[in-house]
């Protein structure tokens, strides 16, 4: 694996995005093309200016993108999957909380080695750069939402514009009818006012909850518990919503850690909500009660 790090100081772009491209499943391929793609994508994500804001090196958003190529359809055309992970530092702590951990199996792109990567904001002329820009804006939106109420709206709207620009392309992942859990529905869910409590949860969980736990652990934990009521509200309006899966894919383990040392009443309230809204992880949440018995 090729590891790329940015060296420098002073002002910086918004993202510190680690990129990994693997083509091990493709037999007889030119391995150099995967390393070149990785280097080009690293440059595209980390050296592009995505917002109008000024960032210092220490403020850059930590994220990772793992691309696994499984098919080579022609010399320049590839299929595979892309996994996007986003982490956020917690105030006065060395802990980083996961905000996003999503796997997209509709990675279908063309890549020409040594050709410059161009992203057009008004059309999808290159599915690779549009796909990467889409996830850059999702990353930004999720991060901004965790620091201020609905702070990520501008970036979710930019991601939605990429979706709109991609309605006539031949590549999967952009259209509503293809699946209920794809790029179209992710940003639709995030911007749909019917599901606004989800974004309320993002802010309360992180800014009012985790960020306060270093000084006021009980108050911070209570805010996290209260934020789950917003998730419950969204679940009751539409249980199969994609963003609910996104939330629990990122947060289920963390929730176990947070509430394993909770008070009985609070623990029971949280367990009731979690067992309702995320039954697939019910056995995992049982660890909350088991840990409490041992505590």
């Amino acid at each position: 694996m090729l590891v790329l790090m940015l060296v420098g100081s002073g002002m910086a772009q918004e993202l510190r995005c680690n990129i990994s491209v693997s083509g091990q499943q493709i037999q007889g391929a030119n391995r150099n093309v995967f390393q070149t793609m990785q280097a080009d994508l690293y440059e595209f994500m980390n050296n592009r200016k995505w917002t109008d804001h000024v960032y210092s090196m220490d403020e850059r958003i930590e994220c990772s993108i793992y691309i696994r190529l499984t098919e080579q359809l022609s010399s320049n055309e590839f299929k595979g999957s892309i996994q996007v992970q986003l982490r956020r530092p917690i105030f006065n702590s060395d802990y980083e909380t996961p905000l996003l951990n999503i796997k997209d199996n509709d990675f279908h792109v063309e890549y020409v080695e040594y050709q410059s990567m161009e992203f057009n904001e008004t059309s999808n002329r290159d599915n690779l750069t549009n796909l990467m820009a889409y996830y850059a804006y999702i990353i930004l939106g999720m991060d901004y939402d965790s620091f201020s109420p609905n702070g990520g709206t501008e970036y979710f709207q930019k991601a939605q514009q990429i979706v709109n620009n991609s309605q006539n392309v031949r590549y999967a992942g952009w259209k509503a009818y293809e699946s209920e859990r794809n790029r179209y529905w992710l940003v639709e869910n995030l911007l749909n006012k019917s599901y606004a409590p989800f974004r309320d949860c993002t802010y309360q969980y992180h800014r009012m909850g985790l960020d306060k736990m270093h000084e006021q652990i009980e108050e911070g934990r209570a805010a996290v518990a209260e934020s789950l009521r917003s998730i419950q509200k969204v679940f009751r309006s539409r249980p199969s919503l994609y963003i609910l899966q996104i939330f629990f894919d990122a947060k289920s383990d963390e929730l176990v850690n947070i509430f394993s040392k909770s008070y009985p009443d609070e623990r029971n309230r949280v367990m009731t909500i979690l067992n309702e809204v995320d039954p697939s992880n019910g056995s995992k949440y049982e660890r909350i009660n088991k840990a409490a018995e041992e505590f």
Side-chain angles (χ1 to χ4, degrees):
M1 181 189 302
L2 179 66
V3 178
L4 297 164
M5 300 296 293
L6 184 69
V7 179
S9 59
M11 307 320 293
Q13 313 310 110
E14 297 87 351
L15 303 181
R16 182 182 286 113
C17 185
N18 295 313
I19 303 281
S20 172
V21 176
S22 170
Q24 293 180 351
Q25 292 184 245
I26 301 176
Q27 300 296 321
N30 173 15
R31 299 294 156 190
N32 185 64
V33 72
F34 306 133
Q35 293 187 351
T36 307
M37 181 190 293
Q38 180 171 297
D40 285 347
L41 291 178
Y42 181 91
E43 177 102 5
F44 180 78
M45 295 296 285
N46 290 292
N47 292 347
R48 183 181 177 86
K49 186 71 174 162
W50 296 102
T51 76
D52 295 329
H53 300 157
V54 177
Y55 279 67
S56 71
M57 289 294 292
D58 292 339
E59 292 173 329
R60 298 178 83 189
I61 298 168
E62 295 280 352
C63 52
S64 300
I65 292 179
Y66 305 94
I67 296 170
R68 178 173 293 180
L69 302 175
T70 56
E71 296 180 65
Q72 184 170 5
L73 306 180
S74 69
S75 60
N76 301 322
E77 189 172 357
F78 302 89
K79 275 189 172 183
S81 64
I82 178 171
Q83 185 168 2
V84 181
Q85 297 179 340
L86 168 63
R87 301 170 299 282
R88 174 199 188 278
I90 297 305
F91 186 64
N92 271 4
S93 165
D94 58 3
Y95 176 66
E96 292 185 338
T97 179
L99 269 174
L100 188 66
N101 183 13
I102 182 172
K103 186 178 181 183
D104 180 343
N105 290 317
D106 289 322
F107 189 82
H108 183 183
V109 301
E110 293 186 39
Y111 172 75
V112 179
E113 199 172 9
Y114 306 119
Q115 181 174 294
S116 61
M117 305 191 77
E118 301 292 339
F119 168 58
N120 189 304
E121 294 187 355
T122 60
S123 66
N124 187 339
R125 298 178 183 176
D126 174 16
N127 202 52
L128 178 56
T129 54
N130 273 261
L131 200 154
M132 300 300 289
Y134 170 88
Y135 280 117
Y137 287 128
I138 293 293
I139 286 168
L140 287 162
M142 294 291 289
D143 188 75
Y144 275 70
D145 262 13
S146 76
F147 284 102
S148 63
N150 296 314
T153 298
E154 175 185 355
Y155 308 108
F156 293 144
Q157 289 173 340
K158 287 179 179 291
Q160 190 173 58
Q161 185 58 49
I162 294 173
V163 170
N164 294 339
N165 293 342
S166 303
Q167 290 307 293
N168 295 321
V169 301
R170 64 188 178 95
Y171 308 103
W174 299 113
K175 305 173 188 69
Y177 64 83
E178 294 172 332
S179 168
E180 292 186 350
R181 296 171 186 251
N182 63 9
R183 295 186 289 275
Y184 176 95
W185 288 111
L186 173 58
V187 74
E188 190 279 340
N189 289 178
L190 288 166
L191 287 172
N192 192 321
K193 292 182 179 179
S194 298
Y195 315 133
F198 176 88
R199 295 178 64 190
D200 297 338
C201 171
T202 300
Y203 173 72
Q204 185 176 10
Y205 185 111
H206 297 93
R207 194 72 188 96
M208 309 306 293
L210 294 187
D211 279 345
K212 293 188 175 180
M213 287 184 72
H214 69 289
E215 290 181 343
Q216 301 171 308
I217 187 167
E218 294 173 6
E219 289 82 351
R221 189 172 59 214
V224 173
E226 185 63 26
S227 75
L228 295 178
R229 295 187 185 275
S230 296
I231 293 293
Q232 186 181 44
K233 188 181 298 184
V234 175
F235 174 85
R236 288 178 174 177
S237 70
R238 190 175 173 189
S240 62
L241 209 61
Y242 188 26
I243 49 174
L244 295 177
Q245 176 191 325
I246 298 298
F247 178 83
F248 289 110
D249 282 350
K251 293 298 187 182
S252 57
D253 287 327
E254 183 174 75
L255 287 166
V256 172
N257 292 333
I258 290 173
F259 292 105
S260 290
K261 297 181 181 179
S262 180
Y263 294 116
D265 287 349
E266 181 179 67
R267 189 168 63 248
N268 290 335
R269 290 196 305 271
V270 167
M271 286 290 291
T272 299
I273 293 174
L274 293 178
N275 284 327
E276 176 186 351
V277 301
D278 189 28
S280 63
N281 279 318
S283 59
K284 180 183 291 187
Y285 297 132
E286 281 301 316
R287 287 161 33 200
I288 294 175
N289 284 331
K290 290 179 181 177
E293 292 170 0
E294 297 171 359
F295 180 60

